[in-house]
Amino acid sequence: MNISDLTMVSARGLLDRGEVSSVELTRAFLDRIGAVEERVRAYITVDRDAALAQAAAADRRIAEGNAGPLTGIPISLKDVLCTEGMQTTAGSRILEGFVPPYDATVTARLKEAGAVILGKAAMDEFAMGSSSETCAFGAPRNPWDLERICGGSSGGSAAAVAACECLASIGSDTGGSIRQPASHCGIVGLKPTYGRVSRFGLLAYASSLDQLGPMTRDVADCALLLSVMSGHDPRDSTSVDEPVPDYGAALGRGVKGMRIGLPAEYFSAGLDPEVEEIVRRAAARLEEAGAELVEVSLPHTDYAVAAYYIIAPAEASSNLSRYDGVRFGFRAADPADLLELYLESRSQGFGAEVKRRIMIGTYALSAGYYDAYYLKGLKVRTLVARDFTNAFEKCDILLSPVAPTPAWKIGEKISDPLSMYLSDILTIPANLAGVPGISVPAGLTAAGLPVGVQLQAPHFREQDLIACARAVEETAGMAGRLPELD
Ligand code: GLN
């Protein structure tokens, strides 16, 4: 068995036919982690013993003929999902040592389906960032080029899948954090419709934008994981009580007759020419496969980043007020009084980017500024959402780049937050509108860096994303390609 040839779907077949046990499979991934992790640094926590115990339980379940869809399959979780009994840090010192007393709903669903949790993947602190460099426990690296960022904020998840340190991972996406690292690491990443997947037990960044989703080697695995994760949860009042379709059934549907819109604003100045060529070639191949290409416009795209960087920090400043040094994780030593306990714990516990956003958010929400900033941001959000409604009258799917450039060098943008923020211009609008989006590998640059194509669909049309993504995968020649780390 060569684990770099496996997907979740093929591993399921091997496990069901008894050709490999979950313990063997889990050991193989733990060995791989041991071999490459020093270079990739995709994980904050790996729990070998817990993983092997889950694998042994999975083998018993398979022997009893009682396997669930993921039974025995080794995966990782972004360290933003609560895991009972396993440290959960959100990439922040302030949560160092925090062991949740409960599982997030998504964690619980994955465990119920039988998945083996190898560990928790590195991420930008509280998911704030596009390069994973703000992680307090060390930045993960891009397995295609270890000098480069793996994207963010779910960078550790993407790097772990690409480096073959797990079969799949779960990421969270507030402004692109699943799709962008998936693109930079050459894997598949899907941000579901807002409300499709429960956020209960996800450490909140910006609650009206956050959504959890699958990060996988291929589109079939993505469909499988999405089916397991999706559905209503009474513990998240924003999760929608809509039936979960059989996403796997969409895989063979093809794109014949599908109207694919190319938004003019997503191909504008600042787009790297190699990225543009790879994305346009992917579109042309879909046309050959029977899709109809149409030009569309999302005229408020240019304002989306500015609105997002008011709304997201505003929500973050409120969400992060709970980290006071009293209830969770880190507490400053020897405070003189309660105020100093708060001040010192937060000053020492949070990193620079998180503090910047708490300050921006607090400012935008304060009396006298609320109307000028926060309310204005919400109005722009409505305009951005309307752009999508209008565009989807002319097409079924929007096709575009995920990010304006391939992965950049570590350190290149970290001291220039504005250029980092602007790199999210093509992914942020979907979060503001709540629509689903996927990144699928579409090609490699001359320097050998992966480039993904982004597909976006109307609310709750994930099955169309899966069908179209599968067609991209079949025609782009990137399926099964992993970086050569050895
Ligand atoms: N890069 C964006 C930010 O820093 C998006 C992050 C995310 O989706 N979590 O906020």
Side-chain angles (χ1 to χ4, degrees), residues 472-486:
V472 171
E473 180 174 72
E474 280 171 348
T475 54
M478 282 289 291
R481 289 202 57 171
L482 290 179
E484 281 165 30
L485 256 174
D486 306 306

Side-chain angles (χ1 to χ4, degrees), residues 78 127-130 152-153 172-177 205 308-309 357 424:
K78 184 178 185 177
M128 297 175 187
S130 312
S153 64
S172 69
D173 191 313
T174 307
S177 282
Y205 163 17
Y308 173 88
Y309 277 100
R357 299 205 191 183
D424 298 329

Side-chain angles (χ1 to χ4, degrees), residues 234-275:
R235 289 186 292 189
D236 172 4
S237 62
T238 64
S239 78
V240 175
D241 201 356
E242 284 276 323
V244 178
D246 177 3
Y247 294 114
L251 285 166
R253 224 172 63 194
V255 290
K256 219 178 201 54
M258 201 181 255
R259 293 169 308 160
I260 296 180
L262 304 178
E265 294 79 4
Y266 282 50
F267 290 88
S268 63
L271 184 58
D272 177 274
E274 272 187 293
V275 171

